[in-house]
Amino acid sequence: MISGPITINNDNNEFKKYLEFLFKNLEQNAPFIKDIKFINKTKVPIIKIKTTEEYNNMNIDLSMDLHKGKECASFIKEQLEKYKPLREMTLALKTIFYSAKLNDPYEGGLSSYGIIILIIYFLVVKDMRKEEITYDKIGQLFFELLFFYKDDKYFKDIISIKNIDNLSKDFRNNPLRILDPLDNSNNIGKNAREINKIINLFDTSIKKILVYYNKGFFPQNILKEIFNAKYN
């Protein structure tokens, strides 16, 4: 199961204290939790939860005062309306990142928001906003996306879907630089320590898909078949 973040907004400067209080209560009183961690040595402290099998082994990230949570949700909704293939391509790419355990920025991977920006950047370059997309074309477009990022030249520059100006120091010494379209001071990829694995993931994914293509066989759920991903 892949799940998005659950955000609790709090304007109090002591939100770390409240989050720690919540963590202790959940740890002691929530039978649906299989594993729980409180990560507080980061800019945005977070509680990471793994639920029991009875609750579908869900992964839940819980935080307070998360960076522009409501604005991000509105922005993504707008992009889904603008780019028709974005939803399906996001689900597919998140599945691949999940199967490689590269979907957690706290473990050196890339967040769901970062994955979405990668796809939007690709669609902007391809100028896909006005084109009508069929499901067959989405599959072809997704394959092109993998080839697009297989070439690491796009990771050597700043990936941005808006004009770049007044960038923060987060963009100077980080191996992966993805500009937050809502905040020029935020590098979405700053925690992606596993950048080499992320780049290699696009190449290995192409090879896995080509094995099936060369056999002339495409299962109904090719992502689950090829990448052994549990995705509902």
Side-chain angles (χ1 to χ4, degrees):
M1 168 71 71
I2 297 174
S3 56
I6 297 175
T7 304
I8 301 174
N9 293 309
N10 193 309
D11 294 328
N12 195 307
N13 290 330
E14 296 185 344
F15 70 89
K16 284 187 181 181
K17 183 187 299 183
Y18 294 121
L19 197 62
E20 184 175 8
F21 174 79
L22 178 60
F23 164 74
K24 290 179 178 179
N25 275 271
L26 287 172
E27 187 178 37
Q28 296 172 7
N29 303 308
F32 62 87
I33 292 178
K34 180 179 180 180
D35 184 50
I36 184 170
K37 297 177 182 177
F38 180 38
I39 303 173
N40 61 357
K41 295 181 179 180
T42 55
K43 182 178 180 180
V44 180
I46 193 168
I47 296 173
K48 299 188 73 65
I49 296 171
K50 175 88 170 181
T51 66
T52 60
E53 186 174 352
E54 182 182 0
Y55 289 87
N56 298 321
N57 294 312
M58 291 177 61
N59 295 307
I60 301 173
D61 291 351
L62 210 119
S63 181
M64 293 182 180
D65 200 33
L66 193 63
H67 171 77
K68 295 185 177 294
K70 291 182 179 179
E71 291 90 339
C72 286
S74 297
F75 168 76
I76 292 171
K77 183 178 180 180
E78 291 174 1
Q79 299 305 304
L80 287 170
E81 294 174 355
K82 183 185 295 185
Y83 297 103
K84 300 303 181 184
L86 179 58
R87 184 185 302 276
E88 287 79 8
M89 292 179 71
T90 297
L91 293 175
L93 193 57
K94 283 178 67 177
T95 299
I96 291 175
F97 269 73
Y98 177 82
S99 69
K101 298 182 179 179
L102 289 171
N103 62 318
D104 188 347
Y106 293 90
E107 299 293 336
L110 186 62
S111 68
S112 295
Y113 188 40
I115 291 171
I116 290 172
I117 298 302
L118 286 183
I119 298 171
I120 294 174
Y121 178 76
F122 166 77
L123 294 174
V124 169
V125 171
K126 295 285 290 184
D127 193 22
M128 300 300 297
R129 186 172 55 139
K130 297 180 180 179
E131 186 171 336
E132 288 296 324
I133 302 295
T134 64
Y135 278 101
D136 289 341
K137 185 64 179 291
I138 290 175
Q140 177 185 333
L141 202 57
F142 182 72
F143 206 47
E144 291 178 18
L145 170 75
L146 297 178
F147 271 99
F148 185 83
Y149 285 114
K150 175 179 177 289
D151 186 344
D152 66 355
K153 70 179 182 180
Y154 293 103
F155 292 104
K156 293 178 180 178
D157 202 354
I158 296 174
I159 295 172
S160 174
I161 61 174
K162 58 177 284 188
N163 293 330
I164 300 174
D165 54 28
N166 300 322
L167 297 180
S168 72
K169 62 181 180 181
D170 276 345
F171 291 87
R172 297 173 189 169
N173 300 313
N174 280 277
L176 180 56
R177 298 174 292 174
I178 304 175
L179 179 65
D180 185 343
L182 303 178
D183 184 356
N184 279 7
S185 68
N186 184 34
N187 175 13
I188 303 169
K190 62 180 177 291
N191 293 322
R193 302 184 304 275
E194 302 291 355
I195 177 63
N196 291 329
K197 290 183 179 179
I198 290 173
I199 295 173
N200 187 58
L201 180 62
F202 290 94
D203 184 47
T204 56
S205 297
I206 291 170
K207 291 176 180 176
K208 287 182 178 181
I209 293 174
L210 284 177
V211 169
Y212 281 84
Y213 178 80
N214 291 333
K215 292 179 180 179
F217 170 67
F218 285 87
Q220 184 175 3
N221 189 343
I222 191 169
L223 288 174
K224 184 175 181 179
E225 182 75 21
I226 294 175
F227 301 101
N228 193 29
K230 293 180 180 179
Y231 194 95
N232 294 325

